[in-house]
Amino acid sequence: MSFRRKFAVSLTGALLGAALIPASFAGKAETFTGTISDAMCGAKHMMEGDDAACLRACVQKGSKYALVVGEKVYTLDVKDKATLAAIEKLGAGKATVKGEADGDTIEVSSVAAAK
């Protein structure tokens, strides 16, 4: 085998190996089931009346959506408009969220009403 061919084969192997490294370190998607809320109110809404109305008011004032799972409150990082619309439709209801958790934040990949 010529030097050029050996170099091309070695370079190709190195590039393929480098391309696979990020996949092995990628976060793992998880499923969380809880109640939709907002990051400011968390588990207990502060406004009197309907929880969904409080949620909408807080989000309009800049609070992010959140998911309350037991005692834990996760802030929802939503980049997709369709997913955001699905969260808005659920209001303060029960939801199943799929995504990658990083501390107290979930990067949301999908959301559906909990069954």
Side-chain angles (χ1 to χ4, degrees):
M1 198 183 302
S2 72
F3 174 75
R4 284 185 184 180
R5 184 157 173 88
K6 286 181 186 177
F7 180 75
V9 170
S10 296
L11 182 60
T12 302
L15 291 174
L16 285 174
L20 295 176
I21 290 172
S24 64
F25 288 110
K28 186 175 182 181
E30 299 176 68
T31 301
F32 304 86
T33 300
T35 304
I36 298 292
S37 185
D38 63 273
M40 186 169 63
C41 290
K44 183 166 172 49
H45 290 279
M46 295 180 225
M47 290 182 183
E48 289 191 29
D50 185 62
D51 287 351
C54 180
L55 168 63
R56 283 190 297 276
C58 291
V59 168
Q60 285 177 347
K61 292 178 182 175
S63 184
K64 288 191 164 203
Y65 283 103
L67 184 71
V68 179
V69 180
E71 298 292 317
K72 182 90 171 157
V73 178
Y74 293 97
T75 300
L76 299 179
D77 182 15
V78 185
K79 294 183 174 39
D80 179 54
K81 288 182 181 183
T83 304
L84 184 60
I87 292 171
E88 290 170 352
K89 284 181 186 176
L90 290 171
K94 296 278 185 188
T96 299
V97 173
K98 291 184 182 179
E100 294 180 27
D102 184 10
D104 293 338
T105 302
I106 300 172
E107 187 174 328
V108 180
S109 58
S110 69
V111 65
K115 295 180 181 180

